[in-house]
Amino acid sequence: MFNISLDAKGRLAIPTRVREVLEGFGSTGLVVTVDTQDRCLMLYPVSEWSVIETKVQALPSFDARVRVIKRMLLGYATDCEPDGSGRILLGAALREYAGLSRECVLMGQGNKLELWDKARWDGELDRYLQQPMSLDDLPEELKSLSL
């Protein structure tokens, strides 16, 4: 997890360690889109996004819920290539959706990153910690993990 700052122009400096990991995916470019469950942004390496995009486009559009997901994920998807200083420019619509202010939190999530407004993330974290999960509450897939 990285505490990072968004500048007045909407630019975000991607930490060096993150850029190095992105290079392992074959490119430092990112596709940024909205999270349809939480008010944060998801940042995908380009190669990972192409897999997600293909799967989303293949979903049937007859279901209204699927159409909403498609509109959100694909409609907000924006290619972002870091500049010479390792910064990406986040468009106003993306910043507004996630409620981003100057202070942000960037965290790895396996094949993607999440970007949160720091105050919003702190609130979510407090909520998670106040409502600890028991083993009975966990999905079956998680019960078999040994951490």
Side-chain angles (χ1 to χ4, degrees):
M1 186 170 83
F2 299 91
N3 289 311
I4 55 179
S5 297
L6 188 66
D7 73 14
K9 294 180 181 178
R11 295 177 299 195
L12 185 75
I14 302 297
T16 303
R17 282 187 23 209
V18 173
R19 290 193 315 257
E20 289 169 354
V21 170
L22 289 172
E23 288 171 3
F25 283 95
S27 168
T28 57
L30 292 164
V31 175
V32 181
T33 192
V34 299
D35 185 322
T36 59
Q37 305 298 308
D38 293 302
R39 286 295 187 140
C40 68
L41 301 179
M42 298 185 296
L43 293 74
Y44 288 92
V46 172
S47 60
E48 289 293 309
W49 173 251
S50 66
V51 172
I52 301 295
E53 182 179 34
T54 299
K55 289 179 181 180
V56 171
Q57 287 178 343
L59 295 171
S61 293
F62 297 113
D63 185 320
R65 295 168 298 178
V66 171
R67 284 196 309 273
V68 169
I69 297 292
K70 282 182 161 186
R71 288 176 183 145
M72 299 296 288
L73 288 177
L74 301 176
Y76 276 95
T78 305
D79 292 314
C80 296
E81 189 66 41
D83 65 13
S85 299
R87 299 173 300 189
I88 60 170
L89 178 63
L90 297 175
L94 290 168
R95 294 191 316 265
E96 288 172 19
Y97 178 87
L100 298 179
S101 61
R102 180 168 168 71
E103 294 183 28
C104 299
V105 173
L106 182 69
M107 65 182 74
Q109 295 293 303
N111 69 335
K112 66 179 177 283
L113 299 156
E114 286 183 352
L115 180 65
W116 290 80
D117 177 75
K118 184 168 183 348
R120 179 170 277 147
W121 171 249
D122 289 345
E124 286 293 310
L125 183 57
D126 286 345
R127 187 173 63 86
Y128 298 156
L129 295 174
Q130 289 173 11
Q131 299 172 358
M133 283 189 247
S134 75
L135 245 107
D136 296 334
D137 296 334
L138 293 176
E140 290 301 318
E141 298 85 2
L142 290 177
K143 289 180 182 178
S144 65
L145 285 180
S146 175
L147 302 175

